[in-house]
Amino acid sequence: MPKISKKGISMPESPIRKLAPFAEKAYKQGKTVFHLNIGQPDIKTPKVAMDAVKIHSLEILAYTRSEGSEGYRQKIAGYYAKNDIHVKHDDIIVTTGGSEALLFAFGTIMDVDDEVIIPEPFYANYNGFSTASGVKVVPVISKIEDNFALPPIEEFEKLITPKTKAILICNPGNPTGYLYSREEIKKLAAIVKKHDLFLIADEVYREFAYDGAKHYSILQEEGLEDYAIVIDSVSKRYSMCGARIGCLVSKNKAVIKTALKFAQARLSPPTLAQIASEAALDTPQSYFDDVIEEYVGRRNVLIQELNKIEGIQVANPKGAFYCIAQLPVKNSDTFAQWLLESFDVDGETIMVAPAAGFYSTPGVGLNQIRIAYVLNKESLVKAVNILKEALKIYKD
Ligand SMILES: Cc1ncc(COP(=O)(O)O)c(C=O)c1O
């Protein structure tokens, strides 16, 4: 039989989705499964976006320009200006989700065997995108005890080699919920300039900053124009995960020119979804105020309930809609599977994401899970209760 590539074999499974067959079995047994494993918000997509695809007058669903339609990019630039981020439409390439923006960024700045330093735990698919690009992830560990704050900058410096091309951060963080401060961004800015590296910031959760904290984008940092690459997406901002629209933003002309070649190779981002995403930019501020209030409420309930369980340690998230919880178990992979296969409270169980897949250092995070608080408060309380009852009887 012809052989599968080494790259294909080494592609990691997503910790977010790999337990899906066990969830399927649980449904077949008639169980209700609370999904805490995936960042699929239950929030309604803004009506303006849905209406735009219902009433469009297209007769041919044609390709758009590879970099995205000009009208949409102009409007995205307007959105950034409102967020005090000053870019032009030609600093933006519209992509098929933030996922494709990450792939384009890696392809644009890194060759096979180059290295990217990433504070871990990090969004699990960074492992997948790196493998697909032949790039090596060099992790720098951030700790639950520090709420996953930026590790000391010397730790980054120790890891820089001639192969290092970039530092990648996620702000606010998935899976940590950590929101980097302006000072932390400035420290990163200084180190990338000193070592002539790119700084990639995945800012897909920009709006989800809580407790009065304001998100500070790397594109706001003066002097970082040639170094900064931002990854963005409509998926979480407007609860439009299925639209598959994101963008890559950089003031570095060579980055945009090169990323455009990757964009040309896949012809065009989705046309109808660009129409929806352009309309979504007219979403009233009141939508975001309500959404943020809802997430803060959910976070508060979740953290309060988790803290009541003996033996659990949890970092308090300041942004995004995830948290990492450290459990009194040896292996959260087996625990998560057991929850689906062998446990329920009155026919209800939970699906969580084992956190080891959010690390690239082997053996780290084995006793941690990621919880996405994308369910209403009542369901979250029930879900944490299921976790509590499960921990009472589980033995690894
Ligand atoms: C941190 C982060 N970056 C990027 C993505 C990719 O999102 P999408 O491709 O839907 O824009 C996600 C999705 O969950 C994410 O959490």
Side-chain angles (χ1 to χ4, degrees), residues 147 171-173 176-180 205-215 292 296 299-300 303 315-323 373:
N147 241 348
N171 187 31
T176 62
Y178 189 77
L179 181 73
Y180 290 112
Y205 296 96
R206 180 178 301 108
E207 273 72 15
F208 302 88
Y210 310 138
D211 309 324
K214 224 176 153 351
H215 178 263
I292 299 305
V296 169
R299 177 205 56 180
N300 292 349
I303 301 298
N316 196 10
K318 301 277 180 219
F321 34 70
Y322 306 95
C323 77
Y373 44 99

Side-chain angles (χ1 to χ4, degrees), residues 106-247:
F106 280 23
T108 298
I109 62 169
M110 288 186 272
D111 288 309
V112 171
D113 291 337
D114 279 345
E115 296 173 2
V116 54
I117 301 176
I118 316 180
E120 68 175 1
F122 51 73
Y123 174 51
N125 287 325
Y126 296 161
N127 274 330
F129 297 132
S130 312
T131 305
S133 311
V135 164
K136 187 175 161 205
V137 170
V138 178
V140 48
I141 296 184
S142 64
K143 298 196 190 113
I144 195 164
E145 303 82 77
D146 304 330
N147 241 348
F148 298 110
L150 190 76
I153 214 74
E154 307 79 62
E155 296 298 317
F156 287 84
E157 204 130 30
K158 276 187 214 156
L159 299 171
I160 294 174
T161 73
K163 291 210 171 280
T164 311
K165 282 291 177 66
I167 294 175
L168 166 59
I169 57 163
C170 183
N171 187 31
N174 171 10
T176 62
Y178 189 77
L179 181 73
Y180 290 112
S181 67
R182 200 183 173 106
E183 289 65 40
E184 286 172 316
I185 298 293
K186 286 191 178 297
K187 282 186 193 164
L188 287 165
I191 192 176
V192 294
K193 283 197 266 182
K194 179 172 166 198
H195 294 276
D196 212 17
L197 308 174
F198 285 102
L199 180 59
I200 310 172
D202 181 336
E203 299 185 357
V204 306
Y205 296 96
R206 180 178 301 108
E207 273 72 15
F208 302 88
Y210 310 138
D211 309 324
K214 224 176 153 351
H215 178 263
Y216 185 66
S217 170
I218 60 166
L219 290 169
Q220 287 171 288
E221 181 62 22
E222 239 172 80
L224 211 56
E225 291 75 9
D226 284 341
Y227 304 87
I229 301 175
V230 159
I231 306 300
D232 215 336
S233 170
V234 304
S235 290
K236 319 288 161 158
R237 184 167 305 139
Y238 308 108
S239 197
M240 284 174 69
C241 296
R244 310 309 306 130
I245 291 287
C247 63

